[in-house]
Amino acid sequence: MSSDLRFLASTVLFTVFFTFISGRTWDMAIAVGDGIDFLTKNGTLIGEIKIPEVKSLKGVAYDDITHTLFFSDNQNNNGSIFRINTLDKNIKPECLFKATNGTYVVGLTFDSISRTLFWLDAVKQIIMKMHIPLIKPPGNRENVVDLRGNRPRTIAIDSCNRYLYWGNTNTKSIERSNFDGSNKTTIIKENLYEPVAVTVDHTSGKLYWIDDEEGIHYKIERSDLDGLNRELIFHGEHQQPVHISVDFNRIYWIDWVYNAAWMINKNKKSGNIPIKFKSYHESSKDVYAVSVITRDNSGIINCSVFAEKKSQFPIANVTSLTSFNNLTASIEENDLNRINIIHCLNNGLYNEIEKSCYCKPGFKGTTCETSVCHNYCLKGICTISSKGLPTCQCHSTFNGLRCERNVCYNYCLNDGECTIKDGMPICDCKTFKGSRCELENFKNYSSSQRIIEPNVNNIEFNTFKCLGTNLTYEELSSINGVFNCDNAIPILSSVVVLLLILVVILFYYISKLRRRPRIRKRFIVSKEGTTPLTSRPQISNTQCEITIENCCNMNICETPCFEPKLRNTSQNSKKEEKKSLLINMDSNNC
């Protein structure tokens, strides 16, 4: 494929991608091979993208404020970490961190409050970070935590309490530290074999992880953010989990044995078993799903749940209003912080330590000034659910997640009026009939115009079919009398019989005319002294002459020629003629 064709294909894919990534339509994203699939909570694939110049995706993170997708690609010669602004039509990924020898980025996570991107290098065994301002270029990368000798596999953040979490497969432990790498602490040590995936649930204030046990077993567990109140969610087997994520109600993870994404409910109930959410087993053997992110847990975080539990989860100190983790904030961010100090709108909670507002469910913004319903429903009434999400009650003729689709658009034909009944479009036809007013209504014509009233169930739209011939209504209208398809077969049969009779008659006359005509002949022998009917000299007495009357086209005949009546000549008539000739010759002595 040429470079122009690849560019065109990439442009088309990104056009679809912009539609889904910019609106609140997708709930989770799965990185697989060189692309990303976007799905709803019921598993419906609503968008996909093949990122140009990418070899093999590994870690994925998302910033819901700027609609930016961060990802790592360890096989790319142009860099290791990239980003794409999904609202920008420039489809070429921007490199944020160029690979060096011995670099392998296995995990990415983004903090939208401090606008900091964290990643884990499994080869160098170090956690690094980079500040991503709203309007300025990205900052320099910085080392945060040195993990040499621990073989780290996974990384997660607690945006509200400013904690980093990671799992060590060598020391078989889960640890955490502040965003600046200080206060490094082991929170879970006992009964762990290989913690391969860890995540923080910002909706419930819990820490979730997957332990790939020795042999064929694995465990999904959770605890408080300090490692206390540990619970076993599920104990399974025959899987190789590599990544975990959560939303309001479920836990999701990627498994390489089945090459699929699995899910299970958070609630511990009997019969709570994993369900295969999305399978990539039928894909190429070289393409594996590597990570899954959920919009609920990676979008704009509502930290009010942590504000209500300050006594249980102490918040890490932030020393300056103008910096986060030793990174200088932009002028825009400083101005926003000064605004936050003044007042939090819509009953938002002000955090004196972070100098920011924790918004109540249903509101967002730096001062909680924007309702999630703002410009959300296009043709309907927006309400906020118990989870703080916008839901739409659509007007009569609209449906869809945001009431964006008019179900009556181009539904009723021929000026029919569309209404909604029980959620389905119904057409009120004027001069036509049918479910969509697509059929001619012949009862509306006068008796002088009415040609035929066929059964509409046996005809196609606006077309009559009789004996394999298509006649439109206008063509039938030009026919005088009543057209009845039932009379057509007898009429055509009569015509065929008449034609056969005519053919037989013609054949008889042609055969009769082709018979060769016979000339009636009479033989006369001239007598002595009798002058023949010719202009020749008179013959002598010793000679005789035979005159054949009624002959044609003979040199000896000079009498006028005429056509006698046709007659059938038989063998007997020939004998009689010969006998008569002999008698005349004998009587005349010739």
Side-chain angles (χ1 to χ4, degrees), residues 498-545:
L498 291 176
L499 290 176
L500 289 175
I501 295 174
L502 181 61
V503 169
V504 172
I505 295 173
L506 291 176
F507 181 78
Y508 171 77
Y509 277 102
I510 291 174
S511 299
K512 186 175 180 181
L513 291 176
R514 290 184 63 184
R515 296 175 182 176
R516 297 183 62 184
R518 295 290 181 177
I519 304 298
R520 183 181 180 87
K521 297 178 289 294
R522 183 164 61 91
F523 301 95
I524 301 175
V525 178
S526 61
K527 300 180 179 180
E528 295 179 358
T530 302
T531 302
L533 298 177
T534 65
S535 59
R536 294 180 183 178
Q538 189 173 357
I539 60 176
S540 63
N541 294 334
T542 60
Q543 296 179 343
C544 69
E545 180 178 358

Side-chain angles (χ1 to χ4, degrees), residues 246-260:
V246 296
D247 62 8
F248 288 133
N249 301 312
R250 296 170 179 171
I251 307 168
Y252 304 87
W253 69 94
I254 301 296
D255 159 48
W256 279 355
V257 171
Y258 294 92
N259 193 16

Side-chain angles (χ1 to χ4, degrees), residues 94-113:
E94 177 187 358
C95 180
L96 298 177
F97 173 57
K98 189 172 180 61
T100 57
N101 293 333
T103 296
Y104 195 82
V105 179
V106 295
L108 289 176
T109 184
F110 182 75
D111 175 46
S112 58
I113 298 177

Side-chain angles (χ1 to χ4, degrees), residues 230-243:
R230 184 172 173 178
E231 297 176 275
L232 175 64
I233 303 298
F234 182 77
H235 197 179
E237 58 185 19
H238 300 300
Q239 287 196 22
Q240 184 183 354
V242 295
H243 194 266

Side-chain angles (χ1 to χ4, degrees), residues 65-66 112-113 115 131-137 321-324 328-340 355 366-367 369:
I65 297 176
T66 61
S112 58
I113 298 177
R115 302 208 54 77
H131 186 51
I132 310 293
L134 288 172
I135 56 177
K136 289 186 177 181
L321 290 178
T322 59
S323 66
F324 290 102
T328 303
S330 66
I331 297 176
E332 178 184 358
E333 292 168 335
N334 291 334
D335 291 339
L336 293 178
N337 284 329
R338 283 193 289 270
I339 294 174
N340 288 339
K355 308 302 181 184
T366 55
T367 59
E369 74 280 4

Side-chain angles (χ1 to χ4, degrees), residues 129-386:
K129 68 181 179 181
M130 178 184 294
H131 186 51
I132 310 293
L134 288 172
I135 56 177
K136 289 186 177 181
N140 298 325
R141 68 179 185 273
E142 297 183 28
N143 296 341
V144 180
V145 182
D146 188 350
L147 300 174
R148 281 177 291 184
N150 291 331
R151 286 172 52 190
R153 282 281 301 275
T154 178
I155 184 175
I157 60 170
D158 174 5
S159 294
C160 296
N161 295 303
R162 329 304 294 160
Y163 282 133
L164 284 170
Y165 293 85
W166 64 90
N168 298 318
T169 59
N170 188 23
T171 60
K172 301 180 180 180
S173 62
I174 296 177
E175 299 180 293
R176 78 174 183 185
S177 72
N178 295 333
F179 271 12
D180 59 359
S182 63
N183 196 21
K184 181 180 174 182
T185 306
T186 299
I187 62 172
I188 298 177
K189 178 71 174 179
E190 302 297 329
N191 196 21
L192 277 181
Y193 181 77
E194 191 174 359
V196 294
V198 61
T199 188
V200 173
D201 182 9
H202 290 94
T203 63
S204 63
K206 293 286 185 178
L207 179 68
Y208 287 81
W209 69 89
I210 299 181
D211 184 14
D212 192 5
E213 292 185 305
E214 185 177 9
I216 63 173
H217 296 277
Y218 68 96
K219 294 185 299 183
I220 300 177
E221 297 183 87
R222 70 183 173 194
S223 71
D224 293 338
L225 295 178
D226 55 1
L228 301 177
N229 298 319
R230 184 172 173 178
E231 297 176 275
L232 175 64
I233 303 298
F234 182 77
H235 197 179
E237 58 185 19
H238 300 300
Q239 287 196 22
Q240 184 183 354
V242 295
H243 194 266
I244 187 173
S245 185
V246 296
D247 62 8
F248 288 133
N249 301 312
R250 296 170 179 171
I251 307 168
Y252 304 87
W253 69 94
I254 301 296
D255 159 48
W256 279 355
V257 171
Y258 294 92
N259 193 16
W262 296 77
M263 68 178 182
I264 193 172
N265 290 328
K266 287 181 179 179
N267 298 330
K268 295 179 59 178
K269 296 181 179 179
S270 59
N272 188 20
I273 61 174
I275 299 174
K276 188 182 293 185
F277 184 77
K278 178 69 175 178
S279 176
Y280 295 94
H281 180 70
E282 301 299 330
S283 303
S284 172
K285 294 182 179 180
D286 296 332
V287 178
Y288 281 85
V290 293
S291 62
V292 54
I293 57 175
T294 59
R295 195 92 177 261
D296 291 340
N297 208 42
S298 62
I300 301 175
I301 305 301
N302 189 340
C303 293
S304 59
V305 62
F306 296 101
E308 297 172 357
K309 299 181 180 180
K310 290 181 181 179
S311 59
Q312 301 181 23
F313 308 116
I315 301 176
N317 292 328
V318 180
T319 58
S320 175
L321 290 178
T322 59
S323 66
F324 290 102
N325 309 311
N326 298 325
L327 295 176
T328 303
S330 66
I331 297 176
E332 178 184 358
E333 292 168 335
N334 291 334
D335 291 339
L336 293 178
N337 284 329
R338 283 193 289 270
I339 294 174
N340 288 339
I341 296 175
I342 298 174
H343 187 58
C344 294
L345 303 176
N346 296 308
N347 297 321
L349 301 177
Y350 180 69
N351 189 318
E352 295 181 356
I353 297 178
E354 295 185 1
K355 308 302 181 184
S356 62
C357 292
Y358 292 153
C359 301
K360 293 291 185 180
F363 296 92
K364 60 183 180 179
T366 55
T367 59
C368 307
E369 74 280 4
T370 304
S371 171
V372 294
C373 280
H374 179 66
N375 290 334
Y376 185 78
C377 300
L378 301 181
K379 294 291 183 178
I381 300 174
C382 180
T383 58
I384 300 174
S385 67
S386 59

Side-chain angles (χ1 to χ4, degrees), residues 517-524 547-552 554 557 562 564-565 567 569 573-574 576-578 580-581 584:
R518 295 290 181 177
I519 304 298
R520 183 181 180 87
K521 297 178 289 294
R522 183 164 61 91
F523 301 95
I524 301 175
T547 302
I548 301 175
E549 294 182 350
N550 301 331
C551 65
C552 293
M554 297 179 63
C557 178
F562 67 92
K565 292 183 179 180
R567 66 180 180 86
T569 304
S573 62
K574 292 182 179 180
E576 291 177 357
E577 290 178 356
K578 187 181 296 183
S580 175
L581 178 61
N584 290 331

